[in-house]
Amino acid sequence: MIGNWDADQLGQILDNLLGNAIKYSPEGGTIDLVLASDGEVARLSIRDEGIGVPAAVRARIFDQFFRAPNARSGGDHSHIEGLGLGLFNAQHLARRHGGMIEVESMEGLGSIFQLILPLNPNDSDISTEETEAPDDGTP
C-alpha cells in the first residue's frame, strides 16, 4: 500500500485511536487491529471490548470537547480522564489527508474505529517534505 501521509500526523491519529481502545477496555481485554485495502483506500480497523458508545450520542463523538456520558463516568470503571479533544483532533487530521474515521459501537460491548485513508498507487516516491524550485532569478 502506498499513501501520501504525514508520518507525525498519522502517528497522532493512531496514538489516539489505540490509546482510547486501551483506556476504555477492561484490563486484559482484547484489541484487534486489521489493515486492509481495496486499491483505492487503506482501512485500519481497531476493535476493542470496551465500554462502547451509546447510540444516542454516537454522532457527536467527533465534536470538540464532547465526551459520552459513560466515558465521563467510566461506567463500571473509575472515572476516565479526558478533555474531549482526542477524537476531534484525530478526525481533523484524517480529513486533512482526504480520509475519515468511522465508528461502530454497542454500549457495554465495545467499538470498532476505522481509519480510512486514500491510497496513491501511482506514487512511487512519497515524501512529506515540500520542495522549492531553485531561485535562478527567472519569474
Side-chain angles (χ1 to χ4, degrees):
M1 282 183 249
I2 298 174
N4 191 6
W5 311 313
D6 180 278
D8 290 335
Q9 292 179 8
L10 187 58
Q12 290 175 38
I13 295 169
L14 297 177
D15 280 348
N16 177 265
L17 296 178
L18 290 170
N20 280 355
I22 294 166
K23 180 166 53 172
Y24 293 108
S25 290
E27 189 171 331
T30 300
I31 297 171
D32 296 317
L33 280 70
V34 176
L35 181 61
S37 168
D38 65 6
E40 293 184 21
V41 297
R43 295 176 187 271
L44 175 64
S45 296
I46 301 170
R47 185 187 66 78
D48 66 53
E49 298 173 337
I51 64 174
V53 181
V57 298
R58 202 166 301 132
R60 297 190 55 209
I61 63 170
F62 296 106
D63 291 352
Q64 189 173 22
F65 302 116
F66 180 79
R67 295 193 72 214
N70 62 335
R72 292 192 306 263
S73 70
D76 292 338
H77 302 78
S78 60
H79 177 73
I80 300 172
E81 297 293 324
L83 298 173
L85 292 173
L87 288 175
F88 170 80
N89 288 333
Q91 183 74 284
H92 174 75
L93 292 173
R95 287 184 174 152
R96 286 185 66 186
H97 285 81
M100 70 177 112
I101 300 171
E102 295 179 344
V103 63
E104 297 175 35
S105 188
M106 293 287 293
E107 187 173 10
L109 298 176
S111 302
I112 302 171
F113 281 84
Q114 193 170 127
L115 172 61
I116 303 165
L117 295 173
L119 293 173
N120 301 334
N122 295 325
D123 289 349
S124 58
D125 183 26
I126 303 298
S127 173
T128 58
E129 297 180 9
E130 293 183 18
T131 57
E132 295 182 12
D135 186 8
D136 61 1
T138 57

